Amino acid sequence: MMWRSGRISWMSEEDMGNRADETFHEYLRDAWTNYADRNIDRCKYWLIRAANMPGLTPALLARAWANLGIFTLTGNVEDLDGEVYNNLGCCRKALDCDPDSPIAWTNLGYSLDPGGRLEVRGMMYDTLQCYKKALELDSTWWFNVGTALAPEETVTVEADTYTKRQCYIKAIEIKPSDADAWNNLGDTIPQPEGSVEIVGHGTYTKQQCYIRALELDPPDKDAWKSMGVTIVGPSRGEVVTVKGVSYTKQQCYIKAVEINPSDLQAWNNLGDTIMSKDERVEVGGVPYTMYECYTTALGIDPTISNVWYNLGNAIPRGEERVEVGGHSYTKQQCYMKVLELNPSDADAWFNLGN
């Protein structure tokens, strides 16, 4: 399961079409171009230029500062008058410009740390409250509200109560092409019998939600990984069809790690689909054994106990060793690593004793 986090607001097609101030939108386009080129400092430069243009409407001024809030998630930005702002300071300034800016409320919610709150005009707001405020101003922000809810939590909007799942359904009903909402909706549905009804679209199971997400966004690594979890049988069992092509569980995880080689959970899951130490699977043209999938995952983060457990299960009894991070480990030593990281792991204790 992989929850997709909330989304920031950048520049919509409507903004690009309504160029009341051509220079302002040129600055935004230049900022976007530099962001796409990974040049965050130049991106900030053009947004500062936009935020300091004379005669801007409060809505446009708030948009410029709200976007600056996102690009100062790390570091700060200096205004033309020399004042320095961090990300929350930028979002607060956006709301000072226009307290009814859904963009500013959305980006403030995205900028807050988990559990964090910020005072705005005498009231304290956490991430969920910021997203809810944006939703009250613009009914298209259901997705972000869903991401801010815990699995059993609900939110009240205009006297009606909504669960996390219902927020994603609302997001899809408003925008059926929202791949992120389809992915996150799939995460909320129990397997295998669970399903949801979406007005105008019919009934969808967990797996069908992931298929829909991948039809809309084929490079979606999270949906490929989540899809793999729903499939029965490692490499030659059940298959799912996405855009006319069939995929096994193993092939879904291969797609996930090819798209994002740093996804340690996808590497771990890929290792689980390999049936013997001599079997190999190709990832981007490179063959990997079961061991190599697990050691690749541990190379990304050696503190994940279940990967050590899986590696221990994969190593035969005896003197065989597998190298991780320049050190070699036996089966027994892998289980010992599990217990260093998670002393209450009963399975690791049992396997170590045997």
Side-chain angles (χ1 to χ4, degrees):
M1 177 183 297
M2 179 65 187
W3 299 114
R4 194 65 47 78
S5 63
R7 290 184 293 231
I8 61 173
S9 178
W10 179 248
M11 181 165 48
S12 69
E13 291 297 325
E14 183 180 357
D15 295 324
M16 294 297 290
N18 297 335
R19 295 172 182 166
D21 192 315
E22 181 66 26
T23 304
F24 177 82
H25 289 290
E26 283 181 11
Y27 288 167
L28 289 190
R29 285 197 303 276
D30 288 337
W32 175 251
T33 299
N34 281 280
Y35 171 69
D37 291 338
R38 301 287 192 270
N39 191 339
I40 301 302
D41 287 339
R42 289 296 292 174
C43 178
K44 292 178 184 178
Y45 167 81
W46 287 112
L47 287 172
I48 282 290
R49 292 283 300 275
N52 282 274
M53 286 184 60
L56 289 181
T57 65
L60 288 180
L61 197 55
R63 176 174 285 281
W65 279 103
N67 285 321
L68 276 165
I70 293 304
F71 295 113
T72 51
L73 285 173
T74 57
N76 298 312
V77 64
E78 185 175 340
D79 199 1
L80 295 182
D81 61 6
E83 190 165 353
V84 176
Y85 296 87
N86 64 11
N87 63 313
L88 295 179
C90 291
C91 291
R92 190 198 294 272
K93 190 168 178 69
L95 289 168
D96 287 341
C97 297
D98 182 6
D100 292 329
S101 169
I103 298 153
W105 283 107
T106 295
N107 289 8
L108 174 59
Y110 188 90
S111 299
L112 287 169
D113 292 328
R117 304 175 77 203
L118 185 74
E119 183 181 344
V120 179
R121 295 175 174 253
M123 295 184 64
M124 299 298 294
Y125 291 86
D126 61 17
T127 294
L128 176 59
Q129 290 165 329
C130 289
Y131 289 158
K132 184 179 174 183
K133 185 74 174 174
L135 182 64
E136 291 170 356
L137 297 163
D138 180 346
S139 63
T140 63
W141 288 104
W142 283 101
F143 174 84
N144 279 22
V145 174
T147 66
L149 288 173
E152 304 303 322
E153 193 177 3
T154 61
V155 64
T156 301
V157 179
E158 295 181 350
D160 291 322
T161 301
Y162 296 87
T163 63
K164 190 179 194 77
R165 182 186 303 171
Q166 289 167 329
C167 288
Y168 296 137
I169 291 173
K170 290 287 288 185
I172 290 167
E173 288 173 348
I174 292 170
K175 186 181 178 183
S177 62
D178 190 335
D180 289 346
W182 282 104
N183 177 80
N184 284 18
L185 177 59
D187 290 345
T188 71
I189 302 173
Q191 191 180 334
E193 295 86 5
S195 63
V196 296
E197 183 76 24
I198 301 176
V199 175
H201 297 275
T203 302
Y204 283 80
T205 64
K206 185 182 195 76
Q207 190 176 90
Q208 288 169 331
C209 287
Y210 295 139
I211 291 173
R212 188 69 187 123
L214 290 168
E215 288 172 343
L216 294 164
D217 183 15
D220 190 329
K221 63 178 175 58
D222 295 330
W224 281 112
K225 182 171 59 179
S226 298
M227 175 78 81
V229 175
T230 71
I231 300 174
V232 178
S235 58
R236 290 169 290 277
E238 178 189 348
V239 297
V240 296
T241 301
V242 179
K243 289 192 167 183
V245 180
S246 295
Y247 296 89
T248 64
K249 186 184 199 78
Q250 187 177 88
Q251 290 167 330
C252 288
Y253 295 138
I254 290 172
K255 290 285 288 185
V257 297
E258 285 179 339
I259 294 167
N260 181 17
S262 64
D263 189 332
L264 73 88
Q265 195 57 55
W267 280 109
N268 177 70
N269 292 2
L270 178 58
D272 291 345
T273 69
I274 301 174
M275 295 294 97
S276 73
K277 69 174 187 175
D278 297 320
E279 182 183 347
R280 286 170 169 76
V281 297
E282 280 203 6
V283 178
V286 179
Y288 285 82
T289 64
M290 177 193 306
Y291 295 165
E292 288 166 335
C293 290
Y294 295 140
T295 58
T296 299
L298 291 170
I300 297 166
D301 187 348
T303 67
I304 307 301
S305 64
N306 74 302
V307 184
W308 282 106
Y309 180 83
N310 289 346
L311 181 58
N313 285 345
I315 300 173
R317 294 190 180 281
E319 297 304 313
E320 185 167 349
R321 293 171 173 268
V322 173
E323 186 170 309
V324 180
H327 301 281
S328 61
Y329 294 85
T330 63
K331 186 182 194 76
Q332 183 182 60
Q333 289 169 329
C334 288
Y335 293 137
M336 292 173 67
K337 286 291 292 184
V338 175
L339 294 169
E340 288 174 14
L341 296 164
N342 182 13
S344 62
D345 191 318
D347 290 334
W349 280 110
F350 179 83
N351 288 1
L352 184 60
N354 286 332

